[in-house]
Amino acid sequence: MKCGFGLALRKMKIDMPRTLRLQETVFPYGVGAIADINGESFIAMDITEWPASASRLRCDRLAEELGVSGFKSAPAVQDKPSPMGKQSQHRKKGRDEDSLRYLRFPRWRFCERCGLMSDKVPRIKGISRNVCENCRSAMVPMRFVAVCESGGHISDIQWPRWVHRRAKNAACVDQNGLEFSNRSGTGEGLQSVFVTCRSCGEQRNFGELSSPNSLRMDGFRCFGKQPWETGEGRECNEKLIAVQRGSTSLYKPELVSAIDIPVVEKQADKTAESIENHYLFPALISSKGDRRAQLIHMIVDDLGVDRSKIEAVSIGEPGSASSIRKNLHGGEWEAFVEKMDVVGSPLDDDFDIRRADRPFDVGKLEALHTLVNSVGLVHRIRQVTAQRGFRRYRQDNDYISVDLGQSFEQPWLPAVEQYGEGIFIRFDISSVVDWEGRLNVRSRADRLLQRSDERLLRRVPNQVPPRYVMLHTLAHLLIRQFEFFAGYPAASMSERIYADSARGGQQAGILIFTGSGDSEGTLGGLVRLAEPDLFGRLLTRAIESADWCGNDPICGENLTQGVNSSNFAACHSCTLLPETSCESANTVLDRRLLVGPEQNTGFFDEVLKAARQAL
């Protein structure tokens, strides 16, 4: 399905609509994102500009976790043939109120033929056209925009002022006489790209923008607002930086997704509630050192729970990205377990999962059978993904809300729903706990997890146990295997890792699923791989692939791979996935915790040994 895409000019007149896929209105073209469509560049406005016709979505569990009343999806339009080149029905007059608002950004563009630069869009027969006022050739968006270092504000670079900043004739600020050109023999890369004033001849090349301090040295300051916001901006003293328009640093959406499940009371929540209601808990929160250790010991004696669970509850961060995800995953885990373990569990049309009676041939894969508790055939699930906000330039910046209106409460969030299928793998918890207790396992995992700083990698859950690294890496390897057999590309499959050991202690599983915006869901190709004749072989192949990478021995011995050195033995040749598939931004990965070069390091060492002996 598609949604209407309306251009909003500064006077808020609605221009000729375009269309986007419905899923793209949350990611990658959600609020605050720059969208390149047919050679033109636009930026998505916040939800205060969304039309009243936006469809409501329901996912009570996600709404409660995010503290909103509900969700809305962009209004959909139907594709209709246009006879004799006439406008399709959804482009006719009167349908503009059904379109999302996107603003042309950056405003400054240049002509491909004559090089003329302009921030004006000529109107031809009442419709704005992205063409040159002189020669009617297509205009191309300028390559650089300005973003402030910490505030997340973005704006056009004031090119007339930038060109004339050091000019002898400072009075020349001709807005209509700038020219863009590429010149050979003047240098390499950006140094060969010039902006020239036709009136006074002043010129500067893009190489001068390469320094992070270039705009500050030229006297530019942040306007303190987003391009679509009118009026005076907020006071912002952050440094302005010139960034290429296509840089991934310009848009980092804050997305939260949940699977629509039957209501299940989570055991983890029961444990957390008993800890929070203990009479010593208020004193524990404000205590440190020996006093804190003493209080934890007393609560352990009273409740009979693990010390790690008390630690986790006492330092929890309600409302943080990782805290929200852990809570959502906890409910999903309990729902999966109930569906697979309880005979006659309640039926739900949007949560259809059945336990595989025989996931693989036990005789040939005995070593694997002892590690895998059960496999679930997920015939249908519904997932809702909502956007809370976005960040720019730095991952540790506070996110900007999708609602930049004057209201102090955000009643709803933009979201999309998908229906799909998948495979749920539940591992034997006693085997996982025994493996985690090995000294060399903890030593290697702790070195990796220390780098997963919540401030820098917000999509990575804090305080994750070694099992998270192992399960996360296995999920990546499985998706790469499934890609060849399921008929779905890796980018269309997603993972969910269930590995919370602190709040409940019994999670050790993986869900790999694919979805579609169509209510009919997908075609069953992924569920088919969970049948006995395929699943055992695919899981074994994934484990075998963990033992060798085309970049070994460099990859296998490297301890500084990935963003902020957040991966060990994991690279693009063996483990990494498209961004849409990974829930942790391709971080916290290590093949050596699946199959280790050292004795007793890998969780699947015995499986690999048995597989090789069977050859």
Side-chain angles (χ1 to χ4, degrees):
M1 297 182 68
K2 296 182 178 180
C3 75
F5 177 121
L7 295 185
L9 303 182
R10 293 191 184 278
K11 295 182 180 179
M12 298 307 293
K13 293 180 180 179
I14 306 304
D15 205 344
M16 183 177 65
R18 280 79 166 167
T19 56
L20 291 173
R21 290 176 59 85
L22 196 60
Q23 306 298 320
E24 293 177 332
T25 59
V26 167
F27 182 79
Y29 301 139
V31 173
I34 297 176
D36 288 310
I37 298 179
N38 297 330
E40 299 179 89
S41 181
F42 312 99
I43 192 168
M45 304 170 75
D46 69 273
I47 62 174
T48 59
E49 303 294 341
W50 273 42
S53 57
S55 306
R56 288 195 171 274
L57 293 181
R58 182 175 180 179
C59 186
D60 295 339
R61 192 169 62 94
L62 181 60
E64 180 181 358
E65 195 66 43
L66 295 177
V68 296
S69 62
F71 308 98
K72 288 185 179 181
S73 175
V77 297
Q78 298 296 324
D79 288 327
K80 294 184 178 180
S82 304
M84 302 301 292
K86 295 182 180 180
Q87 291 181 340
S88 59
Q89 183 67 30
H90 71 273
R91 291 188 177 183
K92 291 183 179 179
K93 186 177 180 180
R95 296 299 300 273
D96 290 334
E97 65 274 11
D98 292 336
S99 299
L100 297 187
R101 306 293 185 255
Y102 283 69
L103 182 74
R104 191 180 296 279
F105 180 82
R107 294 284 297 179
W108 279 96
R109 295 152 295 117
F110 67 91
C111 177
E112 290 183 301
R113 177 179 297 178
C114 68
L116 175 70
M117 289 177 55
S118 176
D119 64 344
K120 299 178 177 60
V121 183
R123 298 187 71 85
I124 302 174
K125 295 182 179 180
I127 298 176
S128 69
R129 299 290 186 183
N130 186 43
V131 296
C132 176
E133 294 177 289
N134 289 343
C135 63
R136 293 295 188 261
S137 294
M139 299 285 280
V140 178
M142 291 297 288
R143 187 181 304 180
F144 283 91
V145 295
V147 61
C148 71
E149 189 172 36
S150 300
H153 307 118
I154 191 171
S155 62
D156 267 281
I157 293 177
Q158 302 169 57
W159 294 108
R161 181 182 168 193
W162 180 77
V163 170
H164 295 96
R165 185 61 184 168
R166 302 170 188 172
K168 295 179 180 179
N169 182 12
C172 179
V173 287
D174 188 356
Q175 294 275 344
N176 302 314
L178 298 186
E179 178 181 309
F180 178 94
S181 62
N182 284 281
R183 302 178 190 174
S184 60
T186 56
E188 297 181 353
L190 296 177
Q191 292 182 349
S192 65
V193 182
F194 284 80
V195 175
T196 306
C197 176
R198 292 176 175 177
S199 297
C200 66
E202 189 65 30
Q203 63 181 16
R204 295 180 71 178
N205 67 68
F206 276 13
E208 299 182 49
L209 291 172
S210 59
S211 169
N213 295 314
S214 62
L215 293 182
R216 168 174 281 187
M217 293 172 63
D218 285 338
F220 290 94
R221 295 290 181 269
C222 180
F223 291 114
K225 60 183 181 180
Q226 302 299 326
W228 63 86
E229 293 185 276
T230 58
E232 294 293 328
R234 307 163 188 83
E235 182 178 355
C236 182
N237 298 317
E238 297 293 339
K239 178 173 67 176
L240 268 186
I241 299 173
V243 179
Q244 295 207 41
R245 177 173 51 87
S247 172
T248 56
S249 68
L250 285 182
Y251 186 63
K252 303 176 185 296
E254 179 84 0
L255 304 176
V256 183
S257 64
I259 294 174
D260 195 5
I261 61 174
V263 177
V264 176
E265 188 174 9
K266 295 179 290 185
Q267 181 60 42
D269 284 349
K270 296 178 184 178
T271 304
E273 185 178 358
S274 65
I275 294 172
E276 291 169 348
N277 291 334
H278 194 277
Y279 72 96
L280 293 177
F281 188 74
L284 173 63
I285 296 177
S286 58
S287 299
K288 298 180 180 179
D290 293 340
R291 174 59 176 167
R292 177 180 175 83
Q294 182 182 10
L295 290 172
I296 291 177
H297 181 71
M298 295 171 67
I299 297 177
V300 169
D301 289 342
D302 285 352
L303 301 180
V305 297
D306 293 340
R307 179 189 181 93
S308 61
K309 298 174 187 176
I310 300 174
E311 288 276 11
V313 174
S314 66
I315 62 176
E317 298 179 71
S320 68
S322 65
S323 175
I324 289 172
R325 193 172 79 176
K326 279 190 175 184
N327 291 340
L328 292 171
H329 280 31
E332 293 166 11
W333 172 262
E334 298 290 344
F336 277 118
V337 170
E338 179 178 291
K339 280 281 187 178
M340 296 178 67
D341 289 353
V342 179
V343 178
S345 58
L347 299 176
D348 192 302
D349 291 339
D350 290 334
F351 191 69
D352 183 1
I353 176 172
R354 304 167 193 175
R355 180 169 181 153
D357 296 330
R358 185 172 58 88
F360 38 73
D361 191 324
V362 177
K364 296 181 180 179
L365 300 171
E366 181 64 34
L368 188 58
H369 176 70
T370 60
L371 301 180
V372 177
N373 178 290
S374 54
V375 176
L377 285 67
V378 184
H379 290 278
R380 183 176 172 87
I381 53 174
R382 174 178 179 263
Q383 178 183 255
V384 175
T385 302
Q387 182 185 6
R388 300 174 71 198
F390 60 92
R391 297 179 175 85
R392 299 201 196 279
Y393 194 65
R394 295 196 326 203
Q395 187 64 42
D396 59 332
N397 289 341
D398 292 335
Y399 77 87
I400 302 167
S401 173
V402 294
D403 182 1
L404 296 179
Q406 300 301 315
S407 61
F408 291 98
E409 295 183 3
Q410 186 169 270
W412 60 274
L413 291 174
V416 291
E417 63 180 352
Q418 287 185 305
Y419 295 87
E421 56 172 310
I423 299 174
F424 177 73
I425 310 168
R426 181 183 178 190
F427 291 88
D428 180 69
I429 189 63
S430 61
S431 299
V432 172
V433 172
D434 289 344
W435 171 78
E436 278 185 325
R438 301 171 187 172
L439 180 61
N440 51 354
V441 170
R442 294 212 61 88
S443 175
R444 185 176 179 91
D446 287 347
R447 280 187 293 166
L448 174 59
L449 297 174
Q450 285 173 359
R451 301 176 182 176
S452 302
D453 192 324
E454 177 75 3
R455 294 179 296 107
L456 298 177
L457 303 170
R458 293 176 182 269
R459 291 173 66 181
V460 177
N462 57 343
Q463 299 179 350
V464 296
R467 74 181 73 170
Y468 182 91
V469 185
M470 182 269 292
L471 294 172
H472 185 208
T473 307
L474 178 62
H476 278 229
L477 298 175
L478 279 171
I479 289 176
R480 291 168 73 102
Q481 290 293 322
F482 291 168
E483 183 176 24
F484 295 104
F485 291 87
Y488 299 114
S492 69
M493 290 183 276
S494 301
E495 64 178 8
R496 290 179 92 82
I497 311 301
Y498 302 99
D500 188 2
S501 63
R503 294 173 62 89
Q506 300 301 312
Q507 293 185 22
I510 297 170
L511 171 66
I512 296 175
F513 65 100
T514 186
S516 167
D518 194 295
S519 61
E520 295 299 321
T522 49
L523 301 175
L526 189 55
V527 171
R528 170 70 179 87
L529 300 185
E531 297 295 338
D533 59 331
L534 285 175
F535 183 73
R537 284 188 291 147
L538 292 174
L539 183 54
T540 304
R541 286 182 181 181
I543 294 169
E544 290 176 329
S545 68
D547 189 46
W548 181 253
C549 167
N551 287 332
D552 279 344
I554 297 175
C555 175
E557 298 175 359
N558 201 329
L559 303 181
T560 57
Q561 299 192 91
V563 179
N564 296 317
S565 300
S566 56
N567 293 331
F568 280 179
C571 70
H572 284 284
S573 295
C574 61
T575 310
L576 302 189
L577 293 175
E579 184 180 351
T580 54
S581 299
C582 180
E583 69 175 16
S584 297
N586 272 326
T587 59
V588 195
L589 296 163
D590 184 13
R591 291 183 291 116
R592 293 313 184 201
L593 289 182
L594 275 73
V595 178
E598 303 173 11
Q599 188 176 8
N600 296 325
T601 301
F603 183 71
F604 295 102
D605 282 345
E606 294 301 318
V607 175
L608 180 63
K609 181 180 178 180
R612 287 176 172 171
Q613 290 177 347
L615 294 177

